[in-house]
């Protein structure tokens, strides 16, 4: 039987990027303590366990720490991050499992929102990811409203460059919240697709870009004191944009540039409307996945390296010995792997064993000849 081997060309090129992405997602969540006591966490890494909640059962999500401590060895669906979610681990949905980290949970978290993602399905095509039956290479992009993940080819529009720095709202969520099309005509990222061409018109189509304001009727006339307070407020930015008359073809997903949320109207009427629609998070720039990842990276950088913690307990000579040995091995291992990658070769277990045998041999040689460390 041919021994299994792994090519290192792609690994060496992508390893650092993948490590940074994983660190950004996971470092923003606590890996040691269940997040349940924090309530409905603003944003956190989540997982669904198909071992504990099989197909057809109630959807449930568990936090990062519980995925490690309570569901080790289980079949987990990685959900990336979700907003305003409280850990379900060990509640009524888990018939035969008790949370090891925080067992005192209520039976249900009534404010949690679940989607097909919790069953391992994604996109408008409702397929798993990765999909064993899909041979097309395609990126998955998350909608900032419904938080489902969609294939780029199923968005109904072209995917712009630098998509990782932008936010996307899928066509379904745009149509459910039709006032967003007014903002899209002025704030969205231009894409080359003909379906997203901006048109200048002198009249506004009130049917599809209807403002979230009640039309004043005779029976709805408000007290003069209240009306005078509203008149003193800044004008509604959404009304101003609608009056301009710039429109966009209402088809496909919409991509939004950084800081677009700060340009949304935050007058009292719009705030009330967004709150009633469950969209208040659109006014919160710290709600974005990019903000969460940035916070995670910052926390990771501030965290104390376990190696450095161990070094603090050693004397000066021991510290230098370990540091020099670590740096030498790191350099030699990198050169060793790079030689395989540059020649397009693969690394076998025997190659790895030989490398470390050589390291041990060199270490014994140094032990026999003595050491010298600069001061």
């Amino acid at each position: 039987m041919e021994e299994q081997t792994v090519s290192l060309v792609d690994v060496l090129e992508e390893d650092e990027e993948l490590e940074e992405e994983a660190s950004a997602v996971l470092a923003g969540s606590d890996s040691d303590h269940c997040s349940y006591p924090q309530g409905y966490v603003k944003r956190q890494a989540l997982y669904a366990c198909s071992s504990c909640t099989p197909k057809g059962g109630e959807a449930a999500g568990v936090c990062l720490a519980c995925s490690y401590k309570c569901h080790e060895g289980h079949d987990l669906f990685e959900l990336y991050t979700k907003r305003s979610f409280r850990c379900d681990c060990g509640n009524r949905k888990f018939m035969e499992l008790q949370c090891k980290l925080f067992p005192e949970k209520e039976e249900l978290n009534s404010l949690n929102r679940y989607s097909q993602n919790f069953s391992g399905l994604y996109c408008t095509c409702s397929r798993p990811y990765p999909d064993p039956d899909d041979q097309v290479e395609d990126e998955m992009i998350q909608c900032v409203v419904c938080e489902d993940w969609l294939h780029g080819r199923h968005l109904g529009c072209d995917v712009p460059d630098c998509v990782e720095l932008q936010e996307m709202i899928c066509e379904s969520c745009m149509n459910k919240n039709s006032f967003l099309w007014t903002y899209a005509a002025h704030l969205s990222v231009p894409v080359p697709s003909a379906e997203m061409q901006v048109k200048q018109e002198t009249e506004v189509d009130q049917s599809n870009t209807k403002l979230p304001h009640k039309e004043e009727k005779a029976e709805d006339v408000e007290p003069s004191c209240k009306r005078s307070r509203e008149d003193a407020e800044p004008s509604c930015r959404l009304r101003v944009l609608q009056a301009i008359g710039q429109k966009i073809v209402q088809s496909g997903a919409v991509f939004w540039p950084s800081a677009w949320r700060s340009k949304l109207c935050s007058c009292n009427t719009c705030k009330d409307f967004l709150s009633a629609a469950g969209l208040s998070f659109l006014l919160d720039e710290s709600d974005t996945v990019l903000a969460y990842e940035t916070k995670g990276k910052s926390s990771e950088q501030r965290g104390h390296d376990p190696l450095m913690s161990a070094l603090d307990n050693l004397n000066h000579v021991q510290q230098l010995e370990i540091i020099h040995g670590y740096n030498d091995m790191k350099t030699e291992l990198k050169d060793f792997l790079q030689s395989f990658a540059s020649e397009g070769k693969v690394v076998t277990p025997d190659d790895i064993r030989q490398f470390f045998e050589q390291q041990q041999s060199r270490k014994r040689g140094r032990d026999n000849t003595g050491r010298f460390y600069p001061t």
Side-chain angles (χ1 to χ4, degrees):
M1 186 177 191
E2 185 177 349
E3 187 172 30
Q4 185 176 4
T5 57
V6 179
S7 173
L8 291 178
V9 177
D10 293 334
V11 173
L12 289 175
E13 293 177 350
E14 298 178 8
D15 181 65
E16 184 176 353
E17 180 181 350
L18 291 174
E19 183 177 348
E20 288 182 357
E21 290 178 358
S23 175
V25 174
L26 302 182
S29 298
D30 191 335
S31 61
D32 297 315
H33 305 92
C34 177
S35 65
Y36 182 87
Q38 302 176 39
Y40 293 88
V41 180
K42 186 171 184 176
R43 183 171 292 282
Q44 63 176 318
L46 287 179
Y47 299 81
C49 181
S50 62
S51 299
C52 296
T53 54
K55 187 175 182 180
E58 291 187 89
V62 301
C63 68
L64 176 64
C66 287
S67 74
Y68 291 157
K69 305 297 193 301
C70 307
H71 301 267
E72 183 180 5
H74 293 190
D75 292 327
L76 297 173
F77 299 127
E78 184 177 359
L79 303 176
Y80 197 58
T81 70
K82 301 286 185 185
R83 70 168 62 88
S84 300
F85 197 94
R86 196 173 198 183
C87 180
D88 286 322
C89 181
N91 68 12
R92 192 187 73 186
K93 297 183 176 183
F94 296 81
M95 302 300 294
E96 300 179 358
L97 180 138
Q98 184 179 47
C99 181
K100 299 177 182 178
L101 300 178
F102 196 88
E104 300 84 13
K105 290 184 171 73
E106 296 180 4
E107 287 192 349
L108 294 174
N109 296 312
S110 58
L111 298 183
N112 280 353
R113 297 175 60 187
Y114 305 93
S115 67
Q116 63 173 353
N117 295 173
F118 289 81
S119 299
L121 302 177
Y122 307 88
C123 191
T124 56
C125 61
S126 296
R127 296 292 301 170
Y129 182 83
D131 188 346
D133 297 327
D134 185 4
Q135 303 303 318
V136 179
E137 291 187 7
D138 197 358
E139 59 186 326
M140 300 287 284
I141 304 174
Q142 188 178 35
C143 172
V144 301
V145 175
C146 67
E147 297 193 296
D148 195 2
W149 290 83
L150 289 82
H151 295 99
R153 64 185 185 275
H154 293 156
L155 292 176
C157 70
D158 294 331
V159 178
D161 296 331
C162 300
V163 67
E164 65 277 3
L165 301 178
Q166 302 166 12
E167 293 192 291
M168 182 273 289
I169 300 180
C170 69
E171 182 177 10
S172 176
C173 289
M174 289 294 297
N175 290 333
K176 289 177 182 176
N177 305 282
S178 57
F179 71 96
L180 289 172
W181 289 113
T182 298
Y183 285 120
H186 298 268
L187 305 178
S188 63
V189 176
V191 294
S193 174
E195 295 179 344
M196 297 294 287
Q197 292 177 354
V198 174
K199 298 180 179 180
Q200 296 289 343
E201 298 187 4
T202 57
E203 296 183 359
V204 179
D205 183 352
Q206 296 288 345
S207 62
N208 289 325
T209 56
K210 186 176 181 180
L211 288 171
H213 298 65
K214 292 192 303 182
E215 294 182 3
E216 188 176 74
K217 299 179 182 179
E219 62 267 28
D220 293 331
V221 174
E222 301 170 4
S224 59
C225 59
K226 183 176 181 180
R227 295 183 64 187
S228 62
R229 287 197 303 270
E230 290 186 352
D231 291 341
E233 291 181 5
S235 60
C236 174
R237 191 174 302 173
L238 184 56
R239 284 187 179 276
V240 171
L241 293 179
Q242 189 178 37
I244 293 175
Q246 181 168 297
K247 294 179 59 183
I248 193 170
V249 176
Q250 299 178 15
S251 175
V254 176
F255 286 86
W256 308 80
S258 60
W260 71 279
R261 299 189 187 208
S262 65
K263 299 183 172 87
L264 300 181
C265 181
S266 58
C267 73
N268 288 338
T269 305
C270 283
K271 280 184 177 180
D272 291 343
F273 172 78
L274 291 174
S275 178
L279 299 174
S280 295
F281 59 84
L282 289 179
L283 297 178
D284 183 4
E285 292 188 78
S286 66
D287 167 78
T288 67
V289 172
L290 183 60
Y292 170 87
E293 291 181 344
T294 300
K295 180 180 177 181
K297 290 178 181 178
S298 177
S299 299
E300 185 78 358
Q301 292 171 355
R302 290 197 303 269
H304 197 54
D305 191 329
L307 175 61
M308 300 309 297
S309 298
L311 289 176
D312 289 340
N313 298 320
L314 303 177
N315 61 44
H316 180 64
V317 174
Q318 290 173 321
Q319 289 178 355
L320 287 175
E321 178 181 347
I322 290 178
I323 291 173
H324 280 289
Y326 172 78
N327 287 334
D328 288 344
M329 187 190 73
K330 182 179 178 181
T331 300
E332 291 174 7
L333 179 60
K334 182 179 179 181
D335 292 342
F336 174 76
L337 297 178
Q338 189 63 50
S339 65
F340 283 83
S342 61
E343 298 177 10
K345 295 182 178 179
V346 295
V347 177
T348 67
D350 286 339
D351 293 324
I352 297 298
R353 282 193 292 269
Q354 182 180 358
F355 172 81
F356 283 105
E357 286 174 359
Q358 292 175 349
Q359 293 293 310
Q360 288 294 330
S361 176
R362 292 177 185 178
K363 181 178 183 299
R364 287 192 294 269
R366 288 195 297 269
D367 290 339
N368 293 333
T369 58
R371 301 182 181 89
F372 170 77
Y373 298 105
T375 58

